[in-house]
Amino acid sequence: MTDGPLAGVRVLDVSTILAGPLTSSLLGEFGAEVIKIEHPATGDPARSYPPLDGSGTSVGWSVVGRNKSSVTVDLHHPDAADLVGRLAASADVVVTNFRPATLRRFRIDFDDLCAYRPDLVMVHLSAYGRTGPYADRPGFARVAEAFAGLTHRTGDPDGPPVFAGYPVADGTAGMYAAFAAMLALRQRDRTGEPQLADIGLYEPLLRMMEDFIADFRATGHSVERQGNRNPHVSPNNLYRTRDGRWLAVPASTEQMWRRLVGVMDAPDLAVHTTMTARLEHREEIERRVGEFIAARDLDPLMDELVAAGVAAGPVNSAADICADPHIRARGSLLEVDGRSVQAPAGRFSGFTGTVPRGAPRLGEHTDEVLRKLAGLDEREIEELRQDGVISG
């Protein structure tokens, strides 16, 4: 597809909704060829999430499905397992997020597909992983966030737990799974042996919250909900400006604290020279910083803070992001099929993340892929279509 660092790597995406498709999408942005298996009748459920475009397809599909070829296969059909296996024979990586028992029922589990390609890499995302007493429980991102403890510590101290504004478990798991695919490919290339990356949806989140378990083991107390505050840093909050905007100010280092109190012209606060002291005086510090910001409009205040080297930033809406000059200059958004979408993340000296084509129509590449990769002729493809294994 491109000359990116993953050019020549073929990915068979046998997953739905977000985490698994994100994994394959990330690999596709850097050169991998991605073939997505979808149900003949409905496709990936993400195709139907509102809002819908004029064709009845989710506008979000332009991000989820980009850089992929769509092949329809009804995994429930008894002939589907061999078809998937023949496609896996030409793939380097299979990405899936069905429950372990479902993969076994479909006969497309790791051992099944290794019979077609002995050095296959499989990245298997599931709610709880392939082992343990919960292995076959269903689960989505919000279940994983609750299970990992993120939901427990999100919200106001006197209120109920709340979800983050986006299902972050899907995002963290998708990114971690793309990283896991790179590790597994490296190990496969070193040893010539097949590799299985088994990732529970909750695990990257749990790993990310580095303080959560360590603090509990040290103190015997679980970190509780603290609203926008940080249990280890003060000041660290969202503060409202005079013109009704919101500003994030996390003074996470001594240097940032000194710069902030300098802008505030508050030498009486500067006496709190350690984070321990600032946490002890958190109420006073948060109040004073809040009053300082509430007396100023956002844009001139940002100019002051930037000039002083203070890390701070506005709480952006989607409209703010689309209008931001840095976003435009950096190329963090791009146009694909007439829609503005997120660009591949990061800039690299030797290669570029690309989106050479938009999201496919359901089954758009079924015949082409089955001819090219599964070695089927027109008669065999038509028989599969007549038998209901594929559509188109």
Side-chain angles (χ1 to χ4, degrees):
M1 178 179 288
T2 75
D3 59 355
L6 297 182
V9 173
R10 182 174 290 136
V11 178
L12 188 63
D13 180 351
V14 193
S15 65
T16 62
I17 315 294
L18 294 180
L22 174 60
T23 301
S24 62
S25 181
L26 293 173
L27 300 175
E29 289 172 3
F30 293 96
E33 176 189 1
V34 181
I35 299 164
K36 181 169 179 59
I37 302 298
E38 299 191 71
H39 190 279
T42 59
D44 190 312
R47 286 180 177 269
S48 62
Y49 285 178
L52 306 179
D53 63 18
S55 69
T57 301
S58 172
V59 297
W61 181 247
S62 59
V63 179
V64 176
R66 65 193 192 185
N67 286 355
K68 300 178 183 182
S69 299
S70 173
V71 175
T72 57
V73 180
D74 183 354
L75 297 176
H76 299 85
H77 195 286
D79 293 337
D82 180 64
L83 187 57
V84 172
R86 294 173 72 169
L87 292 174
S90 67
D92 297 282
V93 180
V94 171
V95 176
T96 188
N97 60 356
F98 289 104
R99 279 184 272 173
T102 303
L103 288 182
R104 293 192 294 270
R105 187 172 74 252
F106 287 160
R107 294 181 290 118
I108 57 170
D109 204 357
F110 181 57
D111 291 339
D112 299 313
L113 298 184
C114 282
Y116 292 85
R117 173 147 187 174
D119 64 347
L120 183 71
V121 167
M122 175 180 275
V123 178
H124 185 190
L125 285 153
S126 59
Y128 298 96
R130 294 169 63 95
T131 60
Y134 304 160
D136 280 312
R137 285 186 182 182
F140 292 108
R142 297 309 196 181
V143 176
E145 291 159 22
F147 188 72
L150 177 64
T151 310
H152 170 80
R153 60 187 296 181
T154 305
D156 291 322
D158 56 352
V162 299
F163 291 137
Y166 178 83
V168 292
D170 279 326
T172 55
M175 288 185 281
Y176 191 90
F179 166 63
M182 296 296 92
L183 297 178
L185 281 170
R186 170 70 171 158
Q187 184 70 355
R188 190 274 304 276
D189 291 346
R190 291 177 65 241
T191 66
E193 298 175 350
Q195 303 294 323
L196 172 63
D198 166 21
I199 301 167
L201 195 60
Y202 74 93
E203 289 177 313
L205 263 184
L206 184 59
R207 170 64 181 85
M208 184 180 72
M209 295 188 293
E210 295 175 333
D211 62 334
F212 195 42
I213 303 304
D215 287 6
F216 171 72
R217 292 296 194 190
T219 67
H221 300 288
S222 181
V223 174
E224 300 295 330
R225 292 181 287 284
Q226 300 187 45
N228 291 321
R229 296 183 177 187
N230 185 308
H232 305 291
V233 178
S234 179
N236 185 105
N237 216 318
L238 297 177
Y239 303 94
R240 193 165 194 172
T241 61
R242 182 169 58 191
D243 53 352
R245 302 284 297 280
W246 289 91
L247 185 68
V249 181
S252 302
T253 66
E254 301 303 313
Q255 185 179 58
M256 285 298 161
W257 169 245
R258 290 194 297 271
R259 291 173 180 175
L260 177 61
V261 294
V263 172
M264 294 174 61
D265 191 22
D268 60 316
L269 290 182
V271 300
H272 304 307
T273 56
T274 68
M275 192 63 75
T276 299
R278 292 196 291 279
L279 290 172
E280 290 174 353
H281 295 84
R282 182 198 292 273
E283 296 304 323
E284 176 195 8
I285 289 170
E286 296 285 353
R287 177 181 58 78
R288 290 280 297 279
V289 173
E291 290 172 350
F292 170 77
I293 293 173
R296 287 158 174 79
D297 292 339
L298 178 67
D299 290 341
L301 174 58
M302 274 299 302
D303 291 340
E304 284 187 75
L305 295 172
V306 169
V310 175
V315 176
N316 282 338
S317 67
D320 296 326
I321 289 170
C322 290
D324 189 273
H326 183 84
I327 296 285
R328 293 199 301 269
R330 179 83 171 158
S332 300
L333 299 178
L334 50 78
E335 292 293 319
V336 177
D337 292 342
R339 289 197 179 95
S340 184
V341 296
Q342 298 93 321
R347 303 296 176 267
F348 304 88
S349 61
F351 56 90
T352 303
T354 60
V355 185
R357 68 184 189 192
R361 300 186 307 276
L362 177 61
E364 179 178 348
H365 305 95
T366 300
D367 289 24
E368 172 190 346
V369 169
L370 294 184
R371 283 194 302 266
K372 176 183 174 182
L373 302 184
L376 302 182
D377 59 29
E378 296 299 335
R379 179 186 58 80
E380 292 170 311
I381 292 173
E382 186 57 32
E383 286 179 356
L384 289 173
R385 185 168 285 115
Q386 293 296 326
D387 291 341
V389 185
I390 64 174
S391 66

